[in-house]
Amino acid sequence: MQPYDLPLLPPAVDWRDERFVQRVAEARTQLGELKGYSFGMPNPLLLLSPAMLRESVASSSIENINTTVERVLQLQLFPEREQRQPDKEVLRYRDALLWGYEQMKNMPLSTRLILGIHQHLVPHAPPGYRRTQNSIQNSAAGETLYTPPAASQIDRLMSNWENFLHDKGDGIDPVLKCAVAHYQFEAIHPFLDGNGRTGRMLVTFYLWKEGLLEKPVLYLSSFFKKHRKVYYQRLTDYREENVGKWVEFFLDGVIETAEAAIETVRKITLLREQDMTKIGKMNKTSSESALHVLPRLFAQPIVTVSAMQEWTGFSTRTGAQKLIDRLIEAGILEIKDESKKYGRSYVYRAYLDIFEQE
């Protein structure tokens, strides 16, 4: 199969089509509501660690890298040599997201950013875009499903991709532009590995950079995973010149995912208020320590005595264990595995369940 001769952006599409107009309006409404809820949180970054980890798990599972949020949270407490390969891959995705988030505070969405994200995601890959031909194959049947553009075309195509994203005068709504850019990135397939995961990450960063999100807290991978066959089919539809089907699917994903993220923010806000009330009923010393560690539990909802000692600065493990016991009595933490007598870990179950629910 010959390399695909990918057309440059923008596509010849009437963006005033009613199919797009109504969905864009609804997507923007949901994104605006999510932005408002995120802005109203005491610390929107509370969302980032578990939400990024859930995105990492979902995006990786599309590539048949399978694990769970809870397993990764548990295993990240241990040295890398003791972690399973899928968990390492997911943690790299999370680290790539965090790196990209920090870089984009002062950097545009560009080749430099994309290459940096990819290097964090696939650290053993050769630096830069691919220099050889790749292809997408059906692993079961062994047939070639798609042959991306030749390596010699990547610089030209990625330059066009960047210019399209940053063109403020073309009148294309950023949500529509994001849909087109995601397809184009996957069609270019600029790397030998990690294209899908990198491309899905860029969706969130672009919407955030365009001001449609308060923080990068909207992740479409769960939607794409849920509709995996349709996801791939709609990308194929676009290539076969049915751009509308792909764009409608993408917009539906933004709407559904934003609604779910709003509900997540509501649940987190309510849980935080309830647990602050519980902490307020402790004695003064325990209450002060618990208020100090609660934000850490939002970022790391599985904890050990050693981690608690590090967070609090207690000089002994006994002090850290006592605080954990107070949090268990308050119904905030629970023992993860009752059968273990030594080396126990403790889970902020009510919070973790919010992110484990599909």
Side-chain angles (χ1 to χ4, degrees), residues 35 87 90 108 137 150 152 155 190 205 214 226 229 236 267 290 310 319 343 345 356:
K35 184 175 182 178
D87 303 310
V90 167
Q137 296 186 320
S152 60
D155 287 344
F205 286 144
E214 172 64 20
K226 178 180 172 183
K229 288 185 179 179
T236 300
K267 288 178 179 178
E310 181 182 339
S345 56
E356 287 284 16

Side-chain angles (χ1 to χ4, degrees), residues 37-49 214-215 217:
Y37 271 99
S38 300
F39 185 78
M41 292 185 73
N43 181 2
L45 294 179
L46 293 179
L47 270 173
L48 283 183
S49 184
E214 172 64 20
K215 298 287 182 184
V217 296

Side-chain angles (χ1 to χ4, degrees), residues 139-198:
S139 56
E143 64 176 321
T144 299
L145 302 176
Y146 173 63
T147 303
S152 60
Q153 296 298 309
I154 291 177
D155 287 344
R156 180 178 73 98
L157 289 168
M158 287 304 300
S159 177
N160 169 248
W161 184 87
E162 283 186 50
N163 291 335
F164 171 72
L165 277 184
H166 297 302
D167 184 357
K168 303 297 184 183
D170 58 14
I172 303 174
D173 189 280
V175 183
L176 292 169
K177 188 169 284 194
C178 189
V180 171
H182 180 61
Y183 162 80
Q184 191 79 352
F185 184 88
E186 299 306 329
I188 296 169
H189 234 59
F191 303 109
L192 294 177
D193 184 31
N195 294 285
R197 287 173 289 166
T198 302

Side-chain angles (χ1 to χ4, degrees), residues 130-149:
R130 61 178 168 88
R131 299 179 180 87
T132 58
Q133 186 62 53
N134 57 355
S135 63
I136 299 174
Q137 296 186 320
N138 182 325
S139 56
E143 64 176 321
T144 299
L145 302 176
Y146 173 63
T147 303

Side-chain angles (χ1 to χ4, degrees), residues 320-331:
Q321 183 65 64
K322 284 183 177 178
L323 178 57
I324 288 173
D325 292 342
R326 299 291 85 78
L327 291 168
I328 291 173
E329 290 170 8

Side-chain angles (χ1 to χ4, degrees), residues 28-317:
R28 278 187 159 273
T29 297
Q30 294 299 329
L31 290 171
E33 189 172 350
L34 175 59
K35 184 175 182 178
Y37 271 99
S38 300
F39 185 78
M41 292 185 73
N43 181 2
L45 294 179
L46 293 179
L47 270 173
L48 283 183
S49 184
M52 282 183 169
L53 203 53
R54 182 172 64 178
E55 159 68 6
S56 305
V57 168
S59 188
S60 298
S61 72
I62 295 174
E63 314 300 331
N64 295 313
I65 301 168
N66 298 307
T67 186
T68 66
V69 172
E70 185 165 343
R71 180 187 287 275
V72 176
L73 282 168
Q74 178 71 35
L75 290 180
Q76 74 173 352
L77 296 171
F78 298 92
E80 185 175 349
R81 65 179 180 276
E82 297 179 28
Q83 297 169 3
R84 295 164 61 248
Q85 188 60 34
D87 303 310
K88 292 180 185 179
E89 296 279 358
V90 167
L91 287 170
R92 284 176 189 148
Y93 188 101
R94 191 273 311 273
D95 292 344
L97 271 170
L98 288 169
W99 182 86
Y101 168 64
E102 289 299 325
Q103 297 302 309
M104 282 199 71
K105 292 177 180 178
N106 301 299
M107 183 190 301
L109 208 166
S110 60
T111 286
R112 180 182 167 196
L113 180 87
I114 294 167
L115 294 180
I117 287 172
H118 184 260
Q119 198 64 44
H120 280 75
L121 183 65
V122 191
H124 304 301
Y129 294 132
R130 61 178 168 88
R131 299 179 180 87
T132 58
Q133 186 62 53
N134 57 355
S135 63
I136 299 174
Q137 296 186 320
N138 182 325
S139 56
E143 64 176 321
T144 299
L145 302 176
Y146 173 63
T147 303
S152 60
Q153 296 298 309
I154 291 177
D155 287 344
R156 180 178 73 98
L157 289 168
M158 287 304 300
S159 177
N160 169 248
W161 184 87
E162 283 186 50
N163 291 335
F164 171 72
L165 277 184
H166 297 302
D167 184 357
K168 303 297 184 183
D170 58 14
I172 303 174
D173 189 280
V175 183
L176 292 169
K177 188 169 284 194
C178 189
V180 171
H182 180 61
Y183 162 80
Q184 191 79 352
F185 184 88
E186 299 306 329
I188 296 169
H189 234 59
F191 303 109
L192 294 177
D193 184 31
N195 294 285
R197 287 173 289 166
T198 302
R200 289 186 287 273
M201 208 180 296
L202 295 175
V203 168
T204 300
F205 286 144
Y206 176 71
L207 292 175
W208 172 50
K209 200 66 173 178
E210 286 297 306
L212 297 176
L213 297 170
E214 172 64 20
K215 298 287 182 184
V217 296
L218 183 85
Y219 302 107
L220 294 184
S221 290
S222 291
F223 178 82
F224 293 151
K225 175 188 172 185
K226 178 180 172 183
H227 305 284
R228 189 186 308 204
K229 288 185 179 179
V230 181
Y231 175 49
Y232 289 135
Q233 182 57 52
R234 291 295 173 262
L235 289 170
T236 300
D237 290 337
Y238 189 125
R239 191 163 67 249
E240 295 174 353
E241 299 185 0
N242 196 333
V243 178
K245 279 188 176 182
W246 160 253
V247 173
E248 289 178 86
F249 174 74
F250 184 91
L251 293 175
D252 288 343
V254 171
I255 293 164
E256 181 177 312
T257 306
E259 288 174 346
I262 291 166
E263 185 59 24
T264 296
V265 173
R266 286 173 176 160
K267 288 178 179 178
I268 290 172
T269 302
L270 178 60
L271 180 64
R272 179 181 178 277
E273 291 171 355
Q274 291 171 342
D275 288 346
M276 291 284 284
T277 299
K278 292 175 181 178
I279 289 171
K281 295 177 181 179
M282 297 179 182
N283 64 55
K284 184 178 179 182
T285 301
S286 296
S287 177
E288 289 177 352
S289 297
L291 286 173
H292 175 72
V293 304
L294 186 62
R296 304 292 294 266
L297 287 172
F298 279 115
Q300 173 57 43
I302 297 179
V303 66
T304 60
V305 175
S306 297
M308 186 65 76
Q309 186 178 359
E310 181 182 339
W311 292 357
T312 57
F314 287 150
S315 59
T316 66
R317 289 174 60 86

